[in-house]
Amino acid sequence: MEESNEIDTSIATTTKLDIDEPGSSVDQKLYRANPNKSHLTVVKRILRYLKGIVDHCLWYPKGSNFNLVGFADADYVGFLVDRKSTSSMAYFLGSCLVSWTTKKQKSVVLSTAEAEYVVAASYCAQLLWIKQQLMDQTTVDGFWY
C-alpha cells in the first residue's frame, strides 16, 4: 500500500457490503472477519484515502462568537445484513466541526419516519451533552481551554 496512488474520497457512495458477500475469498492475513475480495478492495480504498490526507488537520480559530449547530440524518435499512438503519450526526461550533458520528441503530425500525425519530432522539441527547460540556468549560481572556 506504500506505493499506491492517493484518492480524494474514502468510499464510493454506491458501495454496499454484506457479511456474506458473493465472490472469492482472500487470505485472512490481509483482512480478517470472513474476508472476500470486495471487502479487501474497500479497505484498500480507505487506506489510499488516508494516505492522501495524512497532512490534513482541523483548525479551530480562537474566539467566543460561536453558535452550536448540529445536523442529523438516518439511512433506512442501511445495514443489509440485519436490516438496521444507520444514524449520522455532525455538530459545528460556528463553522468548525467539533463532533461527528455514523453508527448502526440498535433496533430494527419499520419505516423511514421511525428511523428519523430514532436519530432525532440521539441527536438531541448528544447536542445537550455538548452544550453542557461547553458551559462547564472555564474561559480565560474569552478563549476556551
Side-chain angles (χ1 to χ4, degrees):
M1 293 304 300
E2 290 178 7
E3 302 300 320
S4 63
N5 294 329
E6 300 170 2
I7 56 174
D8 293 333
T9 59
S10 60
I11 195 164
T13 57
T14 57
T15 301
K16 298 281 187 187
L17 292 177
D18 193 350
I19 287 178
D20 296 324
E21 191 82 17
S24 59
S25 295
V26 297
D27 184 5
Q28 285 197 3
K29 292 177 185 172
L30 295 174
Y31 182 79
R32 296 214 177 257
N34 195 18
N36 286 326
K37 190 170 182 171
S38 58
H39 295 109
L40 183 61
T41 301
V42 170
V43 169
K44 284 183 176 181
R45 180 182 175 96
I46 292 169
L47 291 173
R48 289 173 51 211
Y49 169 73
L50 292 173
K51 179 182 177 185
I53 64 166
V54 72
D55 294 328
H56 290 196
C57 63
L58 298 175
W59 179 68
Y60 299 99
K62 293 183 178 181
S64 58
N65 295 329
F66 291 115
N67 293 324
L68 180 60
V69 179
F71 301 92
D73 191 23
D75 179 14
Y76 178 61
V77 188
F79 193 61
L80 299 176
V81 176
D82 59 7
R83 310 286 296 165
K84 291 184 179 176
S85 300
T86 306
S87 295
S88 300
M89 298 172 274
Y91 303 90
F92 292 83
L93 194 56
S95 62
C96 303
L97 181 67
V98 294
S99 177
W100 69 94
T101 184
T102 298
K103 64 181 180 178
K104 183 170 58 168
Q105 293 181 355
K106 294 180 181 179
S107 60
V108 176
V109 296
L110 301 177
S111 68
T112 56
E114 189 177 358
E116 295 290 344
Y117 285 131
V118 170
V119 74
S122 296
Y123 163 82
C124 289
Q126 181 74 13
L127 190 64
L128 291 172
W129 183 85
I130 293 171
K131 183 179 176 183
Q132 186 63 50
Q133 294 302 308
L134 292 172
M135 289 178 10
D136 289 346
Q137 297 293 316
T138 54
T139 60
V140 177
D141 300 327
F143 299 115
W144 295 104
Y145 290 97

